[in-house]
Amino acid sequence: MMSGLVSLAPLLEFDPSATPSAAQSLLSALKSSGFLYLTDSPISPSLLSHVYNLSAEFFARPSEEKDALAWTTPRANRGYSGMGMEKTSLGMSKEEVEKERGGEGDDQKESFEIGRENEDGQPNRWPEGDTEFRKTTMDFFEQCKQLHAVVMKGIALALNLDPEFFADFVRQGDNTLRLLHYPSVPAGAFANGRVRAGLHSDYGSITLLFQDSRGGLQVEREDGGFVDVTPIEGTIVMNAGDLLSRWSNGLIHSTRHRVVEPPLKMGKDEEWYPPRYSVAYFCNPDFDRTIEALPGTWEDSKGGKKWKPINSGDYLEQRLSATY
């Protein structure tokens, strides 16, 4: 199911002799499974490690400190979400999501969302006085934003578009950096099919996922089974979201996935599962842009446009309104 490793190096250098091949490898993976591993990331291991450490320190804060920074609205999508606040789901309405919540239970995670700075009326919710947390996470945010632009340039090239086709769609950086903590839970917490995070697709263009060594991410196969996305040190897991699938008129897959708890190691008489941490960077087309089928994906024998045009920000708000 997973489509192997794709090096970012040719895309970053934009070498005329190597970049087209790398771009086609990227597109091939997105068309076949929607998930892949990126190698040769320009983001330094030391910065990523520092982000992980700051994330763990944040989630170790007293509940009242975290709750003071609570997530507010789907349009803002910033701040802290405690255990059970969000239910990741395929549902498009609150009624559908609540039905799933009643069946398989709440997601067993907490998160902290960070958006771009200086967006009118939508400030980030920073821990008071913690300038290091703010500076480091925004540095990481900006580097991921640049990587998003590089990947979209490669996708444009592979689709026979101008390499700068997507530049005006990702200029503002209406993306979300999400710090995730799946707390330690008793071994019985996953009885009756409960999971860490429910089956869902991502909403935007692409997601860049940085996972720890615990694992647990699973991608749904076409036959309804699941395959593990095993952590590989030094890689970024990348997957396509709904809006990229709509952009490509279904050529690229927004593959459904979930987070489960890996089995306890054999011979270990453990009563608690250890915590899991990950960092997800959700990339979106700028919220003021309209998404519709790209040139070359719908004309003539390709069968026309599968979806009506939709505003990027409106789609994200619709999906988040259902899951919170």
Side-chain angles (χ1 to χ4, degrees):
M1 180 66 181
M2 286 290 290
S3 298
L5 285 72
V6 175
S7 173
L8 284 164
L11 299 174
L12 290 162
E13 297 166 3
F14 218 75
D15 178 353
S17 64
T19 300
S21 176
Q24 285 299 330
S25 295
L26 182 68
L27 180 61
S28 177
L30 293 173
K31 289 166 62 177
S32 62
S33 71
F35 269 78
L36 61 141
Y37 295 97
L38 296 173
T39 65
D40 303 312
S41 167
I43 299 173
S44 72
S46 61
L47 175 58
L48 178 58
S49 178
H50 195 27
V51 169
Y52 267 117
N53 290 337
L54 291 172
S55 175
E57 290 173 6
F58 173 82
F59 290 116
R61 291 169 180 257
S63 295
E64 58 268 21
E65 289 187 21
K66 293 184 290 186
D67 290 340
L69 304 172
W71 188 94
T72 52
T73 67
R75 177 60 78 171
N77 194 27
R78 288 162 166 84
Y80 171 72
S81 299
M83 293 279 285
M85 183 173 177
E86 181 195 26
K87 173 61 182 172
T88 47
S89 166
L90 297 170
M92 297 293 289
S93 69
K94 278 193 176 293
E95 292 74 21
E96 292 173 321
V97 174
E98 287 305 312
K99 184 177 180 180
E100 289 188 25
R101 194 190 292 267
E104 63 183 28
D106 294 327
D107 286 356
Q108 299 187 44
K109 69 178 190 300
E110 56 181 341
S111 65
F112 187 75
E113 265 73 30
I114 300 166
R116 66 179 173 92
E117 292 276 57
N118 303 317
E119 182 179 358
D120 290 345
Q122 311 292 2
N124 280 313
R125 312 209 70 197
W126 299 112
E128 187 175 356
D130 195 341
T131 56
E132 182 182 10
F133 181 89
R134 179 174 185 169
K135 180 181 182 303
T136 302
T137 55
M138 285 312 302
D139 183 15
F140 189 79
F141 184 103
E142 289 300 321
Q143 291 196 35
C144 288
K145 176 189 172 184
Q146 293 171 22
L147 194 53
H148 178 210
V150 168
V151 169
M152 296 306 293
K153 194 173 181 179
I155 292 172
L157 186 66
L159 289 171
N160 297 313
L161 300 170
D162 186 299
E164 299 300 327
F165 180 90
F166 293 111
D168 285 339
F169 288 89
V170 301
R171 198 173 303 282
Q172 290 183 158
D174 284 327
N175 308 321
T176 299
L177 172 59
R178 165 175 268 201
L179 309 180
L180 280 154
H181 173 222
Y182 301 84
S184 179
V185 293
F190 299 101
N192 303 318
R194 293 194 70 180
V195 294
R196 286 288 201 181
L199 185 66
H200 64 286
S201 61
D202 291 344
Y203 311 146
S205 52
I206 63 170
T207 300
L208 304 173
L209 177 69
F210 306 80
Q211 44 178 354
D212 67 8
S213 60
R214 283 285 302 149
L217 177 63
Q218 293 185 329
V219 174
E220 187 179 41
R221 298 194 306 256
E222 289 186 7
D223 63 4
F226 290 89
V227 61
D228 293 328
V229 183
T230 304
I232 300 177
E233 187 175 357
T235 66
I236 304 170
V237 175
M238 181 187 130
N239 64 280
D242 297 345
L243 289 179
L244 183 55
S245 182
R246 293 175 73 120
W247 238 337
S248 69
N249 209 35
L251 182 69
I252 289 171
H253 296 294
S254 178
T255 305
R256 308 192 311 183
H257 51 285
R258 67 183 185 180
V259 180
V260 301
E261 186 58 42
L264 292 169
K265 293 181 180 179
M266 296 299 292
K268 292 280 188 179
D269 185 20
E270 297 183 37
E271 296 183 356
W272 286 77
Y273 287 95
R276 177 184 188 267
Y277 293 89
S278 65
V279 177
Y281 189 80
F282 296 102
C283 306
N284 307 305
D286 290 341
F287 289 163
D288 61 354
R289 301 310 303 258
T290 298
I291 305 306
E292 59 183 323
L294 295 165
T297 65
W298 60 271
E299 302 89 340
D300 303 325
S301 62
K302 297 183 176 69
K305 297 181 180 181
K306 295 180 179 179
W307 293 279
K308 295 179 180 179
I310 193 168
N311 172 265
S312 171
D314 289 347
Y315 182 76
L316 269 291
E317 187 171 4
Q318 174 193 359
R319 297 304 308 274
L320 289 168
S321 294
T323 57
Y324 278 85

